[in-house]
Amino acid sequence: MAQVKLEGVGKIYPGNVRAVKDFNLTINDGEFMVMVGPSGCGKSTTLRMVAGLEEISEGTITIGDRVVNNVLPKDRDIAMVFQNYALYPDKTVYENMAFCLKMRKFQNPNAAPGSDGFLTNLFSWWKLRQLKKAEINRRVMEAADILGIEELLERRPKALSGGQRQRVAVGRCIVRNPKVFLFDEPLSNLDAKMRVQMRTEISRLHNRLQTTMIYVTHDQTEAMTMGDRIVVMKDGLIQQVATPSDLYDNPKNIFVAGFIGTPPMNFFDATIESKNGQLIVKEDSFSLVTPPEWKSKIERYTGKKIVFGVRPEHVGSPTAEALDNAPKIPATVEVIEPMGSETYLYMKAGANGFIARVDPHRTCEVGDSIDLAVMMRSAHVFDVDTTECVV
Amino acid sequence: MKKFTCRHLVFFCLRHAVLAGFLLATAYPLVWMAMTAFRTEGDAQARPLGLPQQWVMTNLAEVLRSGEFSSAYANSLMLCSASVAIAVVLAALAAFAFAQLRFRGSHVLFLLFLVGMMIPVHVTLIPLNRLLGVDGLGIKGGLVALAGPYIGFALPISILILRGAFAALPPDLLDASRVDGCSAWGVFRHVALPLSRPALATVVIFNFLTMWNEFAFALTLLGPGCETLPLALTRFKGEHDIQITQTSAALVLVVIPLIIVYVFAQKHIIRGLTAGAVKE
């Protein structure tokens, strides 16, 4: 286990393409850190720089106490799970898992110092080989037991399902007992059901091993469910680093607010107006009275344009509807998506479309005009110019 | 529906007729050679195209008894095996470097290797004679003299095939092996080579066939008493006649190893020739 520290790390590809810019992050010992962002945001490049598979153009990466900028991947004491499993097709599952151990030098703890002579050396070599073989076998069997793949050990990768292959890829990392686990979108090639199952297994594995893990994904659900902390990236820059709940409740800017959450946050172009001593969010089709505690933060935007953001579960949900004097948005139902445990209403308010997550038993028809209550204390106001969250 | 069935049948018959014709044209010379090898000289002169009146082993025995042929056989086996082994090792190392390692001038160097394929063998005969002769390296006349040209001419095509195979290896797999503890040599030895077996088999067989049949270098660079099989076969042809049955028997012996190798490796050859053509 080890702390991983990235200080001012950048990656510049030929043609002066900057894939990662001034990346500063400290991943604590034993932490499960998830990097999330859209395709091309630099998350995989950052992971590959930690692994040593990409050269670092600027900055410093430290694993434990050692700066690893110029250390080969094999000497960084890391293990990596790849998106397409990267299992050796000509080797059995056992051989795949044992391969990294075979590549390593093995020290005999009982070796007698200063022994010489050809026969003595030959005997020592043979004994070391046997010890290494036994140790490899012990570690592979232990990892196979953890992952429940003992019966697959003699099979080749082509005879395995996607989930089994991914388990073997994880097993290949476990046997090494590395300081840091790196995962590069490991669940992307799996079907939805298997993805959920593997997600749980990886989380369980982290709880069991308590090793530092860095996990890259473009799926915000994976990020939210697995990470101790999440790094949201865009265009090679860190947008926010926070715990899943903090990221969801207090997004730093419009990008993070829109990226995290399914369905995504609803955004409205609006203005702040003052009326009867109250500040209101004014849009063409609705006016929403803001909570008094917002006043100090949004007063300076009076008469100015802002972006108003509210999550689907904070519009028309049972909790919102139960609030006294909750401001309401009048809108027309365009599409109804019953999900069983909840229903998504795709609404139209003036020129704006938005989504409301409502009670599954709420009765309404397409074309109905209804007023949906808004939980203003859970909504957000963003600065139009900086896109930063004001409230 | 009936019309479609008739048309289908006609195409089926045509297709198979063409294939049968092709098979006949390809296989008949081999069958004829094998039949001639087991018939008497008189029978071969009288009824060259029919089945043998009497199957005899004397031609084979005669050829095998000939010391020159046996020694040529041993020479060819030794020379081809060693040359192929060296060529494949060198080509694999160079191809891996061209495919997977980044270094300045790699593209130009690779093109230079490919230019080697465009040099006709005959253009090099006189320079090689001078280079290997007494005024040069002084190895002309022995088998060693042939190894250099054989390996040199085998390298361009071998590098081209193997570079394609190495370049087609999934990058994640090579990255995984680097993380697993392999150096560049380890990646080559433990991952790239085992996964490129079809391409390696293709290179081995292609080069072995080429060297086994090579005549021009053998004729000009070997001295008396040191022959390879293509040269030894010419001994069966006199000034005014040709011993057709013994020549056929010798050819049967020459062809047998190639057929055996091909039968066992044909799957690899086909996979090797198409390796890297499409992304799997």
Side-chain angles (χ1 to χ4, degrees), chain A residues 48 53 73-74 78 80 82 84 86-91 99-100 103-104 172 176, chain B residues 102 170 172-183 186 190-191 194-195 197:
Chain A
R48 289 172 61 81
L53 298 171
K74 69 188 180 80
I78 45 125
M80 188 160 171
F82 293 83
N84 57 8
L87 299 176
Y88 308 113
D90 58 319
K91 295 178 171 60
F99 181 70
C100 58
M103 288 296 105
R104 262 144 225 279
R172 190 167 65 178
R176 288 177 57 178
Chain B
R102 282 185 215 157
D172 275 359
L173 207 57
L174 304 178
D175 284 344
S177 61
R178 282 184 195 112
V179 173
D180 274 347
C182 290
S183 57
H190 295 288
V191 181
L195 292 179
R197 272 190 294 234

Side-chain angles (χ1 to χ4, degrees), chain A residues 19-253:
Chain A
V20 180
K21 301 162 199 164
D22 193 27
F23 195 100
N24 290 289
L25 180 70
T26 301
I27 301 158
N28 299 323
D29 194 358
E31 189 175 22
F32 197 125
M33 179 66 82
V34 179
M35 290 188 207
V36 70
S39 296
C41 71
K43 55 190 187 299
S44 285
T45 307
T46 308
L47 190 82
R48 289 172 61 81
M49 284 194 283
V50 175
L53 298 171
E54 291 278 356
E55 277 180 32
I56 302 160
S57 307
E58 52 198 20
T60 311
I61 296 181
T62 313
I63 298 176
D65 303 325
R66 189 166 59 141
V67 174
V68 294
N69 284 29
N70 298 315
V71 177
L72 287 173
K74 69 188 180 80
D75 300 322
R76 292 193 181 198
D77 203 2
I78 45 125
M80 188 160 171
V81 179
F82 293 83
Q83 183 178 349
N84 57 8
Y85 323 120
L87 299 176
Y88 308 113
D90 58 319
K91 295 178 171 60
T92 63
V93 168
Y94 184 96
E95 288 165 343
N96 262 284
M97 290 168 71
F99 181 70
C100 58
L101 298 175
K102 279 185 186 168
M103 288 296 105
R104 262 144 225 279
K105 279 184 182 160
F106 186 77
Q107 301 290 331
N108 182 1
N110 304 320
S115 59
D116 50 7
F118 176 73
L119 278 177
T120 319
N121 285 338
L122 189 70
F123 180 69
S124 299
W125 172 81
W126 181 81
K127 206 171 167 186
L128 190 68
R129 204 159 168 257
Q130 295 305 311
L131 273 171
K132 184 176 176 180
K133 217 171 161 181
E135 176 63 12
I136 289 173
N137 189 56
R138 188 188 66 76
R139 288 214 213 171
V140 171
M141 296 315 286
E142 199 176 284
D145 179 48
I146 291 171
L147 295 162
I149 53 172
E150 296 103 319
E151 71 281 8
L152 307 177
L153 290 174
E154 294 309 311
R155 289 202 209 161
R156 287 187 196 280
K158 69 177 177 187
L160 304 176
S161 68
Q164 288 171 331
R165 283 181 203 186
Q166 201 52 275
R167 253 185 229 122
V168 176
V170 174
R172 190 167 65 178
C173 297
I174 295 175
V175 293
R176 288 177 57 178
N177 193 18
K179 279 184 185 164
V180 184
F181 275 82
L182 307 175
F183 294 88
D184 190 5
E185 308 209 24
L187 309 183
S188 302
N189 288 358
L190 302 179
D191 60 50
K193 196 179 168 190
M194 186 55 72
R195 208 178 297 167
V196 174
Q197 192 185 329
M198 283 303 293
R199 215 161 66 193
T200 324
E201 283 190 28
I202 293 173
S203 294
R204 204 176 292 143
L205 188 73
H206 177 249
N207 291 337
R208 180 173 176 155
L209 301 176
Q210 286 300 312
T211 310
T212 312
M213 291 186 176
I214 309 175
Y215 188 103
V216 160
T217 179
H218 63 264
D219 182 343
Q220 53 96 12
T221 314
E222 273 175 34
M224 292 294 283
T225 52
M226 299 171 82
D228 291 334
R229 280 195 299 159
I230 299 171
V231 184
V232 183
M233 289 181 73
K234 185 194 169 200
D235 299 334
L237 284 168
I238 293 180
Q239 300 295 310
Q240 188 172 1
V241 185
T243 60
S245 58
D246 197 24
L247 209 60
Y248 191 79
D249 295 335
N250 305 303
K252 200 180 166 195
N253 54 36

Side-chain angles (χ1 to χ4, degrees), chain B residues 125-138 140 221:
Chain B
L125 288 178
I126 294 171
L128 274 174
N129 260 282
R130 297 199 64 171
L131 178 71
L132 302 172
V134 281
D135 297 334
L137 296 173
K140 192 185 155 196
L221 297 177

Side-chain angles (χ1 to χ4, degrees), chain B residues 63-76 229 232:
Chain B
V63 170
L64 287 173
R65 258 202 301 275
S66 143
E68 283 170 352
F69 186 82
S70 302
S71 114
Y73 211 105
N75 284 346
S76 274
L229 277 175

